[in-house]
Amino acid sequence: AQKVTQAQTEISVVEKEDVTLDCVYETRDTTYYLFWYKQPPSGELVFLIRRNSFDEQNEISGRYSWNFQKSTSSFNFTITASQVVDSAVYFCALSEALLVNFGNEKLTFGTGTRLTIIP
Amino acid sequence: NAGVTQTPKFQVLKTGQSMTLQCAQDMNHEYMSWYRQDPGMGLRLIHYSVGAGITDQGEVPNGYNVSRSTTEDFPLRLLSAAPSQTSVYFCASTISVRGRVTGELFFGEGSRLTVL
């Protein structure tokens, strides 16, 4: 069974500090996708990034960066020079399909990390 | 751009009542799903569908029914509401390729349900 662990329940940092959100996953599949979503206080879910299991290249998007390491089954998310607008709950998610048949695909979310940026 | 539309946004029910949460998407996505979000539990999959006429259970399906008669609509039915079903419900859709969720999920705005 697939599993996603976000061990950090809550994190608080002072504005402009860097912060890393951890995500560790478990899967038996060789092909899978990893995602990060943001849920700001307004409640909607915002897609941030998708990574497939064959692409271990790290990605940077502005102040956001993601470190994918298959060796440790981790897909960590770093915010550089944090801002108050980064305050949100962040979810890591995993998609796999052990069988290439309809009815076996699922997207599993971690329990989320609540990030608070203190002005 | 409508995207994924959920109704109602808020609902209060009494124990034992039934209701349907509506979900519609206009992106021609084959894959649709329902999640519930509870404090400390993250998002848990209730039911999902990979196309019209095809549905399957997720992690927490008990007490909920779904059907998929069209590509656009994926209603979630609570048969006999219980206080344990108090939650925020999210509908989501995406493209699926060969049985995998390969793209981003597009979420509705959520429906907050309270069961007294």
Side-chain angles (χ1 to χ4, degrees), chain A residues 6 8 30 37 39 43 78-79 85 100 113:
Chain A
Q6 295 180 257
Q8 304 152 308
T30 56
Y37 284 83
Q39 187 177 42
T78 297
I79 302 175
V85 293
V100 186
T113 298

Side-chain angles (χ1 to χ4, degrees), chain B residues 33-79:
Chain B
S33 56
W34 277 101
Y35 288 86
R36 60 177 288 173
Q37 183 177 19
D38 303 291
M41 304 292 289
L43 290 156
R44 293 183 292 171
L45 183 64
I46 304 171
H47 285 285
Y48 65 101
S49 168
V50 296
I54 306 171
T55 64
D56 206 346
Q57 297 181 348
E59 182 183 357
V60 287
N62 292 340
Y64 307 95
N65 270 3
V66 292
S67 60
R68 186 90 180 271
S69 57
T70 67
T71 299
E72 295 77 20
D73 300 300
F74 191 45
L76 179 71
R77 298 182 185 85
L78 281 70
L79 307 174

Side-chain angles (χ1 to χ4, degrees), chain B residues 17-36:
Chain B
Q17 288 184 318
S18 62
M19 77 157 298
T20 299
L21 296 175
Q22 301 290 344
C23 177
Q25 53 91 9
D26 60 0
M27 297 171 282
N28 202 32
H29 286 163
E30 292 181 344
Y31 182 92
M32 296 186 74
S33 56
W34 277 101
Y35 288 86
R36 60 177 288 173

Side-chain angles (χ1 to χ4, degrees), chain A residues 14-112:
Chain A
V14 176
E15 194 173 20
K16 298 183 182 178
E17 288 185 350
D18 299 347
V19 59
T20 295
L21 309 183
D22 297 333
C23 174
V24 174
Y25 61 92
E26 296 177 27
T27 178
R28 292 179 292 167
D29 208 351
T30 56
T31 302
Y32 51 90
Y33 292 82
L34 295 162
F35 302 81
W36 275 95
Y37 284 83
K38 173 182 180 180
Q39 187 177 42
S42 52
E44 75 272 24
L45 286 150
V46 180
F47 168 79
L48 295 178
I49 190 172
R50 177 193 69 180
R51 173 68 71 225
N52 75 53
S53 54
F54 295 111
D55 182 2
E56 290 193 68
Q57 189 172 6
N58 292 332
E59 179 149 343
I60 298 174
S61 176
R63 297 183 297 105
Y64 295 171
S65 62
W66 290 268
N67 183 4
F68 177 32
Q69 292 194 341
K70 290 179 73 172
S71 60
T72 56
S73 297
S74 64
F75 187 43
N76 297 338
F77 172 32
T78 297
I79 302 175
T80 303
S82 60
Q83 300 177 2
V84 172
V85 293
D86 296 326
S87 295
V89 180
Y90 291 87
F91 292 98
C92 181
L94 166 70
S95 168
E96 64 170 10
L98 295 179
L99 300 173
V100 186
N101 287 315
F102 284 144
N104 288 291
E105 58 170 283
K106 297 177 183 177
L107 185 65
T108 299
F109 284 80
T111 52

